[in-house]
Amino acid sequence: QVQLVESGGGLVQAGGSLRLSCASSGGTFSNYDMAWFRQAPGKEREFAAASAAPSTWGGRSTNYADSVKGRFTISRDNAKNTVYLQMNSLKAEDTALYYCAARPSQPLIVITPQTYDYWGQGTQVTVSS
């Protein structure tokens, strides 16, 4: 059973940066796609970024939602079983609860939350304008 624990959320001013971390345990990290989703109050959970399983795609394939492309960067440290989300140029509309998720390897174009099997508890990001 894969367990995911997020950290790094907080309050930041618009234009600022945050780095989220997600530590994984209980599975073979390199076999899993890792992703970040977010959910704002009153809205559905939405995809933000994903990193492909290194064992299948060589670890260099990523996918981003248009709303975060160019501002957010997902990366993974396979030695530490950790995935990161570097968030720059933050906007008020980035305010949400951010979730880390994992699944056995699939094409990264598939971004629906239902395709991810394992979820963390979430970390809150609040951007003040």
Side-chain angles (χ1 to χ4, degrees), residues 26-118:
T28 303
F29 186 69
S30 61
N31 289 345
Y32 291 93
D33 297 338
M34 301 298 297
W36 290 94
F37 288 79
R38 63 186 186 181
Q39 188 166 17
K43 295 187 177 181
E44 293 187 353
R45 192 169 299 190
E46 66 173 10
F47 169 79
S51 171
S55 62
T56 305
W57 303 102
R60 289 182 290 275
S61 179
T62 57
N63 189 17
Y64 295 94
D66 288 343
S67 58
V68 308
K69 199 171 295 183
R71 299 187 299 121
F72 291 11
T73 302
I74 188 170
S75 62
R76 57 197 298 164
D77 185 333
N78 295 315
K80 295 182 178 180
N81 290 354
T82 300
V83 63
Y84 304 98
L85 186 67
Q86 178 66 44
M87 305 185 295
N88 298 329
S89 302
L90 283 161
K91 306 174 182 179
E93 50 264 44
D94 294 318
T95 295
L97 189 60
Y98 282 71
Y99 295 93
C100 176
R103 68 183 183 193
S105 178
Q106 293 187 32
L108 280 193
I109 195 171
V110 179
I111 62 172
T112 52
Q114 292 81 0
T115 64
Y116 282 83
D117 298 317
Y118 306 103

Side-chain angles (χ1 to χ4, degrees), residues 8-20 71-72 86-96 98 124-129:
L11 174 64
V12 64
Q13 289 188 334
S17 298
L18 280 175
R19 189 176 81 155
L20 306 183
R71 299 187 299 121
F72 291 11
Q86 178 66 44
M87 305 185 295
N88 298 329
S89 302
L90 283 161
K91 306 174 182 179
E93 50 264 44
D94 294 318
T95 295
Y98 282 71
Q124 178 68 38
V125 172
T126 303
V127 184
S128 62
S129 57

